[in-house]
Amino acid sequence: MKEPVRTLLTGATGSLGRELRPRLHHAGHDVRATSRSPPSETADHAEWVTFDLKDGTGLSDAVTGVDVVVHAASAPRGDSEAVDVRGTERLLEAAATAGVSNFVYVSIVGVDEIPYSYYEHKRATERIVERSPVPATIVRVTQFHEFVFGLLDGLSWAPIWPLPTDFQTQPIETGEAAAAIVDHATLEPAGWVPPVGGPEIRTVGELARAYRDSRSAWRPIVPVPVPGAIARGFRAGEATCPERTVGSVTWKQWLEKPKTDSEP
């Protein structure tokens, strides 16, 4: 009988991590999931460990006996330099000592072109992963439907929606992104792999109109011209990968799907 691949999943309680956990298990992985505050009970088969990238708590213990690391933890709204850059650096040092066979790093499409501070930290982390002696796989993914939904939902109360309507996006269902990442969670590292994008490229204006229609709540959408290099990158489609439309669930289809209690 084939031995299961022992896999450490970071960011296990995030939107991507929640989709990765069952898919890794069904793909034959023995999953060790990390959290700063592990849940007392879960319905999945993961082993939970306490782990904090920012202060380094639990990193060495977490990687002990592990074959593969799927590194999905990130801090887009927090101290991304401390968590994403320095935390990953410490995690890689622990993974090197533990003899990890494949360190799968989940990044974002466009981090090398759009000078947004969080993206710059993700790009810096990619370079650290590249330079590390730990064998690695780096996969970039476009924005999740849930992320776009959260931004628009947070604006839904306003009588007028001021938006950068010409920004280009390529959102993907989180589960479809997770399925593509699991395919790379093998004992054989693959280096840089093709990016993973949603089924269609849409502007923020188009996404907002579809969201508004799905809620049957008419609000005027006001285009806001945003200056600067970050805006130019999003307008130019640097956050998209039109040659890699991996997902199949469109934004409109996702809006129409029944949501579980854990979804927006």
Side-chain angles (χ1 to χ4, degrees):
M1 182 176 178
K2 186 178 179 181
E3 289 291 323
V5 177
R6 296 165 297 178
T7 300
L8 177 71
L9 172 62
T10 74
T13 57
S15 59
L16 178 59
R18 290 194 299 269
E19 296 290 344
L20 282 166
R21 286 194 333 249
R23 286 170 173 80
L24 284 167
H25 173 72
H26 291 314
H29 294 253
D30 186 355
V31 181
R32 180 180 295 168
T34 73
S35 173
R36 286 178 296 176
S37 300
S40 56
E41 294 183 12
T42 62
D44 58 33
H45 300 267
E47 169 199 358
W48 286 88
V49 297
T50 302
F51 174 101
D52 192 323
L53 281 169
K54 189 172 182 178
D55 64 18
T57 301
L59 270 61
S60 295
D61 290 342
V63 296
T64 299
V66 162
D67 302 308
V68 174
V69 173
V70 177
H71 187 27
S74 190
R77 297 178 182 85
D79 190 343
S80 55
E81 182 173 12
V83 173
D84 290 72
V85 183
R86 302 304 159 216
T88 301
E89 197 168 40
R90 286 190 288 267
L91 180 59
L92 281 163
E93 290 171 359
T97 301
V100 168
S101 297
N102 184 13
F103 188 97
V104 182
Y105 179 60
V106 183
S107 190
I108 305 170
V109 171
V111 296
D112 53 342
E113 300 292 342
I114 300 174
Y116 171 45
S117 61
Y118 172 57
Y119 279 23
E120 289 173 336
H121 290 151
K122 294 293 284 188
R123 179 61 183 128
T125 306
E126 289 178 345
R127 294 191 182 101
I128 289 170
V129 174
E130 284 183 299
R131 293 195 300 264
S132 171
V134 181
T137 301
I138 302 175
V139 54
R140 290 177 175 174
V141 183
T142 57
Q143 301 291 351
F144 301 138
H145 289 318
E146 289 89 344
F147 173 78
V148 178
F149 182 93
L151 293 178
L152 294 173
D153 209 44
L155 188 66
S156 61
W157 61 270
I160 297 174
W161 294 357
L163 291 167
T165 53
D166 55 357
F167 281 20
Q168 294 190 60
T169 63
Q170 191 180 346
I172 185 170
E173 184 185 55
T174 311
E176 292 185 323
I181 292 165
V182 168
D183 287 343
H184 297 298
T186 65
L187 295 175
E188 298 298 325
W192 281 95
V193 296
V196 175
E200 56 185 8
I201 295 173
R202 291 289 181 263
T203 65
V204 167
E206 291 171 329
L207 297 178
R209 284 189 289 273
Y211 169 89
R212 185 182 62 184
D213 294 345
S214 74
R215 294 296 179 268
S216 300
W218 191 88
R219 296 286 191 279
I221 295 171
V222 180
V224 176
V226 182
I230 295 174
R232 284 197 299 273
F234 280 108
R235 280 195 297 268
E238 300 293 359
T240 68
C241 51
E243 74 288 355
R244 289 286 296 171
T245 54
V246 175
S248 62
V249 178
T250 67
W251 171 242
K252 184 177 179 181
Q253 290 170 337
W254 186 85
L255 287 171
E256 293 171 348
K257 285 177 59 178
K259 303 294 188 294
T260 65
D261 291 340
S262 62
E263 290 180 307

